Amino acid sequence: MKNIFILTGAGISAESGLKTFRDAGGLWEGHKVEDVATPGAFAVDPELVHHFYNMRREQLATVEPNAAHAALARLQEHFGEHLTLVTQNVDDLHERAGCRDVIHMHGELLKKRCASCEVVSPCTGSLTYDCVCANCGSEGRMRPHIVWFGEIPFFMDEIQEKLIEADVFIAIGTSGVVYPAAGFAEVAKHHGAKTIEVNLDGTEQSPLFDEHIIGKASETVPMLVERLR
Ligand code: APR
Ligand code: ZN
C-alpha cells in the first residue's frame, strides 16, 4: 500500500465558517495576526492574546466539519497507518469528522499549557491571566497550547520521517507562506513523492506540485479521496 501524507491548512475549515488567516487582509480587530500570535505580544498584553483565542474558541463551538473533513476520515479508514494527517489548524474539525491521530503541528485551541510546569490540559471555556495551574499552582502562567510565530512547531521529527516515506504528498487549503510547513512539499518531492496541491487558487508553492486541483475543498477533496481509494 502507498504511503500518503496530507497537510491541511485554514482553507479546509473555511467552508465550515472559520476564517482563514490571510484573507480579509489577515486583520483581527485592527491587529495583524502576526502581532497577536507571538510570545512577545503575550508578554506585553496577555489579556489581548487570551481574548483573541477565547473568541476563536467560542466560534469553534458554533461550527461543524464539512465534506472535506469527512472525506479525509474515509481515506484514513481505507489507508490506516499508511495515511499521515498533519494539520496547521488549531481547530478540532478533523477529529469531529472522525479522524484519529491527527498531528496538530501548530497546537490546539481546545488545550492550554502551563508555562511553568509545561503540563497540557483541556480548555473548552475562556482563559484569563489569573487562571491558576491545577498541577503546580502557578498563577498567570497559563497560555493557549498554540505554536506562535517564532516558536518551533510540534512533532517535527515524526513529520520529517513521514515526509521521507511518502509516496504521495497532498497539501489542502494552505497558502504555503509559513515555514516549516511551507517546505514540506519540497522535502517529500525530493524523496520521490508525487505532489498534489488542492486549493481555491495557485500559491507560492504551486510550481513544486505535479498536480493542481483548483476549487472548493468541500467539492474537490471528496473527489480526490474517491480516486485514491
Ligand atoms: N477550499 C480550498 N482552499 C481554500 C478555501 C476553500 N474553500 N478557502 C481558502 N482556501 C485557501 C486559500 O486560497 C489559501 O491559499 O486556503 C489557503 C489559506 O491560507 P492561510 O490563510 O494562509 O492559512 P494557512 O496556510 O493554514 O496558514 C498557515 O499561518 O497564521 C499562521 O499558524 C497559522 O497555521 C497557520 C499558518
Ligand atoms: Zn503548572
Coordinates of all heavy atoms in Angstrom, one line a residue, residues 78-155:
H78 N -9.6 3.8 5.0 CA -9.0 2.9 4.0 C -7.5 2.7 4.1 O -7.1 1.5 4.0 CB -9.3 3.6 2.6 CG -8.9 2.7 1.4 ND1 -9.7 1.7 1.0 CD2 -7.8 2.8 0.7 CE1 -9.2 1.1 -0.1 NE2 -8.0 1.8 -0.3
F79 N -6.8 3.7 4.4 CA -5.3 3.6 4.4 C -4.7 3.3 5.7 O -3.5 2.9 5.8 CB -4.6 4.8 3.8 CG -4.6 4.9 2.3 CD1 -5.7 5.4 1.6 CD2 -3.6 4.3 1.6 CE1 -5.7 5.4 0.2 CE2 -3.6 4.3 0.2 CZ -4.7 4.8 -0.5
G80 N -5.5 3.5 6.8 CA -5.0 3.2 8.2 C -3.7 3.9 8.4 O -3.5 5.1 8.2
E81 N -2.7 3.1 8.9 CA -1.4 3.6 9.3 C -0.6 4.2 8.1 O 0.4 4.9 8.3 CB -0.5 2.4 9.8 CG -1.1 1.7 11.0 CD -0.7 2.3 12.3 OE1 0.4 2.0 12.7 OE2 -1.5 3.1 12.9
H82 N -1.0 3.9 6.9 CA -0.3 4.4 5.7 C -0.7 5.8 5.4 O -0.2 6.4 4.5 CB -0.6 3.5 4.5 CG 0.0 2.2 4.6 ND1 1.3 1.9 4.3 CD2 -0.5 1.0 5.1 CE1 1.6 0.7 4.5 NE2 0.5 0.1 5.0
L83 N -1.7 6.4 6.2 CA -2.0 7.8 6.0 C -1.5 8.6 7.2 O -1.8 8.2 8.3 CB -3.5 7.9 5.9 CG -4.0 9.4 5.7 CD1 -4.4 9.6 4.2 CD2 -5.1 9.8 6.6
T84 N -0.8 9.7 6.9 CA -0.4 10.6 7.9 C -1.1 11.9 7.6 O -1.1 12.4 6.5 CB 1.2 10.9 7.8 OG1 1.8 9.6 8.0 CG2 1.6 11.8 8.9
L85 N -1.8 12.4 8.7 CA -2.6 13.6 8.5 C -2.0 14.7 9.5 O -2.1 14.6 10.7 CB -4.0 13.4 8.9 CG -4.9 14.6 8.8 CD1 -4.9 15.3 7.4 CD2 -6.4 14.3 9.1
V86 N -1.3 15.7 8.8 CA -0.7 16.7 9.6 C -1.5 18.0 9.3 O -1.8 18.3 8.2 CB 0.7 17.0 9.2 CG1 1.3 18.2 9.9 CG2 1.6 15.8 9.5
T87 N -2.0 18.7 10.4 CA -2.7 19.9 10.1 C -2.0 21.1 10.8 O -1.4 21.0 11.9 CB -4.2 19.8 10.6 OG1 -4.9 21.0 10.2 CG2 -4.3 19.7 12.1
Q88 N -2.1 22.2 10.1 CA -1.6 23.5 10.7 C -2.8 24.1 11.5 O -2.6 25.1 12.2 CB -1.2 24.5 9.6 CG 0.0 24.0 8.8 CD 0.1 24.8 7.5 OE1 0.9 25.8 7.6 NE2 -0.5 24.4 6.5
N89 N -4.0 23.6 11.4 CA -5.2 24.1 12.0 C -5.2 23.8 13.5 O -4.8 22.7 13.9 CB -6.4 23.6 11.3 CG -6.5 24.0 9.9 OD1 -5.8 24.9 9.4 ND2 -7.3 23.4 9.1
V90 N -5.7 24.7 14.3 CA -5.8 24.5 15.7 C -7.2 24.1 16.1 O -7.5 23.9 17.3 CB -5.3 25.7 16.5 CG1 -3.8 26.0 16.2 CG2 -6.1 27.0 16.2
D91 N -8.1 24.0 15.1 CA -9.5 23.6 15.4 C -9.5 22.1 15.5 O -8.5 21.4 15.3 CB -10.4 24.1 14.3 CG -10.1 23.5 12.9 OD1 -10.1 22.2 12.8 OD2 -10.0 24.2 11.9
D92 N -10.7 21.5 15.9 CA -10.8 20.1 16.1 C -11.8 19.5 15.1 O -12.4 18.4 15.3 CB -11.3 19.8 17.5 CG -12.7 20.3 17.8 OD1 -13.2 21.2 17.0 OD2 -13.4 19.8 18.7
L93 N -11.8 20.1 13.9 CA -12.8 19.6 12.9 C -12.4 18.3 12.3 O -13.3 17.5 11.9 CB -13.1 20.7 11.9 CG -13.7 22.0 12.4 CD1 -13.9 23.0 11.3 CD2 -15.0 21.7 13.2
H94 N -11.1 18.0 12.1 CA -10.7 16.7 11.6 C -11.2 15.6 12.6 O -11.7 14.6 12.2 CB -9.2 16.6 11.5 CG -8.6 17.3 10.3 ND1 -9.0 17.0 9.0 CD2 -7.7 18.3 10.2 CE1 -8.4 17.8 8.2 NE2 -7.5 18.6 8.9
E95 N -11.0 15.9 13.9 CA -11.4 14.9 14.9 C -12.9 14.7 14.9 O -13.4 13.6 15.0 CB -10.9 15.3 16.3 CG -9.4 15.1 16.6 CD -8.6 16.3 16.1 OE1 -9.1 17.2 15.4 OE2 -7.4 16.3 16.4
R96 N -13.6 15.8 14.9 CA -15.1 15.7 14.9 C -15.6 15.0 13.7 O -16.7 14.4 13.7 CB -15.7 17.1 15.1 CG -15.6 17.6 16.5 CD -16.7 18.7 16.7 NE -16.1 20.0 16.8 CZ -16.7 21.1 16.5 NH1 -18.0 21.1 16.1 NH2 -16.1 22.3 16.6
A97 N -14.9 15.0 12.6 CA -15.3 14.3 11.4 C -15.0 12.8 11.5 O -15.3 12.0 10.6 CB -14.7 14.9 10.1
G98 N -14.2 12.4 12.5 CA -13.9 11.0 12.7 C -12.4 10.6 12.5 O -12.1 9.4 12.5
C99 N -11.5 11.6 12.2 CA -10.1 11.3 12.1 C -9.5 11.0 13.4 O -9.8 11.6 14.4 CB -9.4 12.4 11.4 SG -9.6 12.4 9.6
R100 N -8.5 10.1 13.4 CA -7.7 9.8 14.6 C -6.3 10.2 14.4 O -5.8 10.3 13.2 CB -7.7 8.3 14.8 CG -9.1 7.7 15.2 CD -9.1 6.2 15.1 NE -9.2 5.8 13.7 CZ -8.3 5.2 13.0 NH1 -7.1 5.0 13.5 NH2 -8.5 4.9 11.7
D101 N -5.5 10.3 15.4 CA -4.1 10.5 15.4 C -3.7 11.7 14.5 O -2.7 11.7 13.7 CB -3.3 9.3 14.8 CG -3.6 8.1 15.6 OD1 -3.7 8.2 16.9 OD2 -3.8 7.0 15.1
V102 N -4.5 12.8 14.5 CA -4.2 14.0 13.8 C -3.0 14.7 14.4 O -3.0 14.9 15.6 CB -5.4 14.9 13.8 CG1 -5.1 16.2 12.9 CG2 -6.7 14.2 13.3
I103 N -2.0 15.0 13.6 CA -0.8 15.7 14.1 C -1.0 17.2 14.0 O -1.0 17.8 12.9 CB 0.4 15.2 13.3 CG1 0.6 13.7 13.5 CG2 1.7 16.0 13.8 CD1 1.7 13.1 12.7
H104 N -1.3 17.8 15.2 CA -1.5 19.3 15.2 C -0.2 20.0 15.4 O 0.2 20.3 16.5 CB -2.5 19.6 16.4 CG -3.9 19.3 16.1 ND1 -4.7 20.2 15.4 CD2 -4.7 18.2 16.3 CE1 -5.9 19.7 15.3 NE2 -5.9 18.5 15.8
M105 N 0.5 20.3 14.3 CA 1.8 20.9 14.4 C 1.8 22.3 15.0 O 2.8 22.7 15.5 CB 2.6 20.8 13.0 CG 1.9 21.6 11.9 SD 2.9 21.5 10.4 CE 4.4 22.5 10.9
H106 N 0.7 23.0 14.9 CA 0.6 24.3 15.4 C -0.2 24.4 16.7 O -0.6 25.5 17.1 CB 0.0 25.3 14.4 CG 1.0 25.6 13.2 ND1 0.6 26.3 12.1 CD2 2.3 25.3 13.1 CE1 1.6 26.4 11.3 NE2 2.7 25.8 11.8
G107 N -0.4 23.2 17.3 CA -1.1 23.2 18.6 C -2.6 23.1 18.4 O -3.1 22.8 17.3
E108 N -3.3 23.2 19.5 CA -4.8 23.0 19.6 C -5.5 24.1 20.4 O -5.1 24.3 21.6 CB -5.1 21.6 20.1 CG -4.6 20.5 19.2 CD -4.8 19.1 19.9 OE1 -5.9 18.7 20.1 OE2 -3.7 18.5 20.3
L109 N -6.5 24.6 19.8 CA -7.3 25.7 20.5 C -7.9 25.1 21.8 O -8.1 25.9 22.8 CB -8.4 26.1 19.5 CG -9.0 27.5 19.7 CD1 -8.0 28.6 20.0 CD2 -9.8 27.8 18.4
L110 N -8.3 23.9 21.8 CA -9.0 23.3 23.0 C -8.1 22.7 24.0 O -8.5 21.9 24.8 CB -10.0 22.3 22.5 CG -11.1 22.8 21.5 CD1 -12.1 21.8 21.1 CD2 -11.8 24.0 22.1
K111 N -6.8 23.2 24.0 CA -5.9 22.8 25.1 C -5.2 24.1 25.6 O -5.0 25.0 24.8 CB -4.9 21.8 24.5 CG -5.5 20.4 24.3 CD -4.4 19.4 23.8 CE -5.1 18.1 23.5 NZ -4.2 17.2 22.8
K112 N -4.8 24.0 26.8 CA -4.0 25.1 27.4 C -2.7 24.4 28.0 O -2.7 23.2 28.2 CB -4.8 25.8 28.5 CG -5.3 24.9 29.7 CD -6.1 25.8 30.6 CE -6.5 25.1 31.9 NZ -7.3 23.8 31.8
R113 N -1.7 25.3 28.2 CA -0.5 24.8 28.7 C 0.1 25.7 29.8 O 0.0 26.9 29.6 CB 0.6 24.6 27.6 CG 1.9 24.1 28.0 CD 2.8 23.7 26.8 NE 3.6 24.8 26.4 CZ 3.5 25.4 25.2 NH1 2.6 24.9 24.3 NH2 4.3 26.4 24.8
C114 N 0.6 25.2 30.9 CA 1.2 26.0 31.9 C 2.7 26.3 31.5 O 3.4 25.3 31.2 CB 1.2 25.3 33.2 SG 2.1 26.1 34.5
A115 N 3.0 27.5 31.4 CA 4.4 27.9 31.0 C 5.4 27.6 32.1 O 6.6 27.6 31.9 CB 4.4 29.4 30.6
S116 N 4.9 27.3 33.3 CA 5.9 26.9 34.4 C 6.2 25.4 34.4 O 7.3 25.0 34.3 CB 5.3 27.3 35.8 OG 5.3 28.7 35.9
C117 N 5.1 24.6 34.4 CA 5.4 23.1 34.5 C 5.2 22.4 33.2 O 5.4 21.2 33.1 CB 4.5 22.5 35.6 SG 2.7 22.5 35.2
E118 N 4.7 23.1 32.2 CA 4.6 22.6 30.8 C 3.4 21.5 30.7 O 3.3 20.9 29.7 CB 5.9 22.0 30.3 CG 7.0 23.0 30.1 CD 6.8 24.0 29.0 OE1 6.2 23.6 28.0 OE2 7.1 25.2 29.2
V119 N 2.6 21.4 31.8 CA 1.5 20.4 31.7 C 0.4 21.0 30.8 O 0.1 22.1 30.8 CB 1.0 20.1 33.1 CG1 -0.4 19.4 33.0 CG2 2.0 19.1 33.8
V120 N 0.0 20.1 29.8 CA -1.1 20.4 28.9 C -2.4 19.9 29.4 O -2.4 18.7 29.9 CB -0.7 19.8 27.5 CG1 -1.8 20.1 26.5 CG2 0.6 20.4 27.0
S121 N -3.4 20.6 29.3 CA -4.8 20.2 29.8 C -5.9 20.7 28.9 O -5.6 21.6 28.1 CB -5.0 20.6 31.2 OG -4.7 22.0 31.4
P122 N -7.0 20.1 29.0 CA -8.1 20.5 28.1 C -8.5 22.0 28.4 O -8.4 22.4 29.6 CB -9.3 19.6 28.5 CG -8.7 18.4 29.2 CD -7.4 18.9 29.8
C123 N -9.1 22.6 27.4 CA -9.5 24.0 27.6 C -10.7 24.3 26.7 O -10.6 24.5 25.5 CB -8.4 25.0 27.2 SG -8.8 26.7 27.4
T124 N -11.9 24.2 27.3 CA -13.1 24.4 26.5 C -13.7 25.8 26.7 O -14.4 26.4 25.8 CB -14.2 23.4 26.7 OG1 -14.3 23.2 28.2 CG2 -13.8 22.0 26.1
G125 N -13.4 26.4 27.8 CA -14.0 27.8 28.1 C -13.0 28.9 27.8 O -12.1 28.7 27.0
S126 N -13.1 29.9 28.6 CA -12.2 31.1 28.4 C -11.0 31.0 29.3 O -11.1 30.4 30.4 CB -13.0 32.4 28.8 OG -13.9 32.7 27.8
L127 N -9.9 31.5 28.8 CA -8.7 31.5 29.6 C -8.5 33.0 30.0 O -8.6 33.9 29.2 CB -7.5 31.1 28.7 CG -6.9 29.7 28.9 CD1 -5.6 29.6 28.0 CD2 -6.6 29.4 30.3
T128 N -8.0 33.2 31.2 CA -7.7 34.6 31.6 C -6.3 34.6 32.3 O -5.8 33.5 32.7 CB -8.7 35.1 32.6 OG1 -8.9 34.1 33.7 CG2 -10.1 35.3 32.0
Y129 N -5.8 35.8 32.5 CA -4.5 35.9 33.1 C -4.4 35.3 34.5 O -3.4 34.8 34.9 CB -4.1 37.4 33.1 CG -2.7 37.6 33.6 CD1 -1.6 37.2 32.8 CD2 -2.4 38.1 34.9 CE1 -0.3 37.3 33.3 CE2 -1.1 38.3 35.3 CZ -0.1 37.9 34.5 OH 1.2 38.0 35.0
D130 N -5.5 35.4 35.3 CA -5.5 35.0 36.7 C -5.7 33.5 36.9 O -5.8 33.0 38.0 CB -6.4 35.8 37.6 CG -7.8 35.9 37.0 OD1 -8.2 35.0 36.2 OD2 -8.6 36.8 37.4
C131 N -5.8 32.7 35.7 CA -6.0 31.3 35.8 C -4.9 30.6 36.6 O -3.7 30.9 36.4 CB -6.1 30.8 34.4 SG -6.3 29.0 34.2
V132 N -5.2 29.7 37.5 CA -4.2 29.1 38.3 C -4.0 27.6 37.8 O -4.9 26.9 37.5 CB -4.6 29.0 39.8 CG1 -3.6 28.2 40.6 CG2 -4.8 30.4 40.4
C133 N -2.7 27.2 37.7 CA -2.4 25.9 37.2 C -2.8 24.8 38.2 O -2.4 24.9 39.4 CB -0.9 25.7 36.9 SG -0.5 24.1 36.4
A134 N -3.6 23.8 37.8 CA -4.1 22.8 38.8 C -3.0 21.9 39.1 O -3.0 21.2 40.1 CB -5.3 22.0 38.1
N135 N -1.9 21.8 38.3 CA -0.8 20.9 38.6 C 0.2 21.5 39.5 O 0.6 20.9 40.5 CB -0.2 20.5 37.2 CG 1.0 19.5 37.5 OD1 0.8 18.5 38.0 ND2 2.2 19.9 37.0
C136 N 0.7 22.8 39.2 CA 1.8 23.3 40.0 C 1.4 24.6 40.8 O 2.2 25.1 41.6 CB 3.0 23.7 39.1 SG 2.8 25.1 38.1
G137 N 0.2 25.0 40.6 CA -0.3 26.2 41.5 C 0.1 27.5 41.0 O -0.2 28.5 41.6
S138 N 0.9 27.6 39.9 CA 1.3 28.9 39.4 C 0.1 29.7 38.9 O -0.8 29.2 38.3 CB 2.3 28.8 38.2 OG 3.4 28.1 38.6
E139 N 0.2 31.1 39.1 CA -0.8 31.9 38.6 C -0.2 32.8 37.5 O 0.9 33.2 37.6 CB -1.3 32.8 39.8 CG -2.6 33.6 39.4 CD -3.1 34.5 40.5 OE1 -2.9 34.1 41.7 OE2 -3.8 35.5 40.2
G140 N -1.1 33.1 36.5 CA -0.6 34.0 35.4 C 0.3 33.3 34.4 O 1.0 34.0 33.7
R141 N 0.4 32.0 34.5 CA 1.4 31.3 33.6 C 0.7 30.4 32.5 O 1.3 29.7 31.8 CB 2.3 30.4 34.5 CG 3.1 31.1 35.5 CD 4.2 32.0 34.9 NE 5.3 31.1 34.5 CZ 6.1 31.5 33.5 NH1 6.0 32.6 32.9 NH2 7.1 30.6 33.1
M142 N -0.7 30.4 32.6 CA -1.4 29.6 31.6 C -1.5 30.3 30.3 O -1.8 31.4 30.2 CB -2.8 29.3 32.2 CG -3.4 28.0 31.7 SD -2.4 26.6 32.1 CE -2.8 26.3 33.8
R143 N -1.2 29.5 29.2 CA -1.3 30.1 27.9 C -2.0 29.1 27.0 O -2.1 27.9 27.3 CB 0.1 30.3 27.4 CG 1.0 29.1 27.4 CD 2.3 29.3 26.6 NE 2.1 29.2 25.1 CZ 2.9 29.4 24.2 NH1 4.2 29.7 24.5 NH2 2.6 29.2 22.9
P144 N -2.5 29.6 25.8 CA -3.1 28.7 24.9 C -2.0 27.7 24.4 O -0.8 28.1 24.3 CB -3.5 29.6 23.7 CG -3.6 30.9 24.3 CD -2.5 31.0 25.4
H145 N -2.4 26.4 24.1 CA -1.4 25.4 23.6 C -1.3 25.6 22.1 O -1.8 24.7 21.3 CB -1.9 24.0 24.0 CG -0.9 22.9 23.7 ND1 0.4 23.0 24.1 CD2 -1.1 21.7 23.1 CE1 1.0 21.9 23.7 NE2 0.2 21.1 23.1
I146 N -0.8 26.7 21.7 CA -0.7 27.1 20.3 C 0.8 27.5 20.0 O 1.5 28.0 20.9 CB -1.5 28.4 20.1 CG1 -3.0 28.2 20.5 CG2 -1.3 29.0 18.7 CD1 -3.9 27.6 19.4
V147 N 1.2 27.1 18.8 CA 2.6 27.5 18.4 C 2.5 28.9 17.8 O 1.8 29.1 16.8 CB 3.1 26.5 17.4 CG1 4.5 26.9 16.9 CG2 3.2 25.1 18.0
W148 N 3.1 29.8 18.4 CA 3.1 31.2 17.9 C 4.2 31.4 17.0 O 5.2 30.7 16.9 CB 3.2 32.2 19.1 CG 1.9 32.2 19.9 CD1 0.7 32.1 19.5 CD2 1.8 32.4 21.3 NE1 -0.3 32.2 20.5 CE2 0.4 32.4 21.7 CE3 2.7 32.6 22.4 CZ2 -0.1 32.6 22.9 CZ3 2.2 32.8 23.7 CH2 0.9 32.8 24.0
F149 N 4.1 32.6 16.2 CA 5.2 32.9 15.3 C 6.5 33.1 16.1 O 6.5 33.6 17.2 CB 4.9 34.3 14.6 CG 3.8 34.1 13.6 CD1 2.5 34.5 13.9 CD2 4.0 33.6 12.3 CE1 1.4 34.3 13.0 CE2 3.0 33.4 11.4 CZ 1.7 33.8 11.7
G150 N 7.5 32.4 15.6 CA 8.8 32.5 16.3 C 9.0 31.3 17.2 O 10.1 31.1 17.7
E151 N 8.0 30.4 17.3 CA 8.2 29.2 18.1 C 8.3 28.0 17.2 O 7.9 28.1 16.0 CB 7.0 29.0 19.1 CG 6.9 30.1 20.1 CD 5.7 29.9 21.1 OE1 4.6 29.5 20.7 OE2 6.0 30.2 22.3
I152 N 8.8 26.9 17.7 CA 9.1 25.7 16.9 C 7.8 24.8 16.9 O 7.3 24.5 18.0 CB 10.3 25.0 17.4 CG1 11.5 25.9 17.3 CG2 10.5 23.7 16.6 CD1 12.7 25.3 18.0
P153 N 7.3 24.5 15.7 CA 6.1 23.6 15.7 C 6.4 22.3 16.4 O 7.5 21.8 16.5 CB 5.9 23.4 14.2 CG 6.5 24.6 13.5 CD 7.7 24.9 14.4
F154 N 5.3 21.6 16.8 CA 5.4 20.3 17.5 C 5.6 19.2 16.5 O 5.2 19.3 15.3 CB 4.1 20.1 18.2 CG 3.7 21.1 19.2 CD1 2.4 21.6 19.3 CD2 4.7 21.6 20.1 CE1 2.1 22.6 20.3 CE2 4.3 22.6 21.1 CZ 3.0 23.0 21.2
F155 N 6.1 18.1 17.0 CA 6.2 16.8 16.2 C 7.1 16.8 15.0 O 6.8 16.1 14.0 CB 4.8 16.3 15.8 CG 3.8 16.3 16.9 CD1 2.7 17.2 16.9 CD2 3.9 15.5 18.0 CE1 1.8 17.2 18.0 CE2 3.0 15.4 19.1 CZ 1.9 16.3 19.1

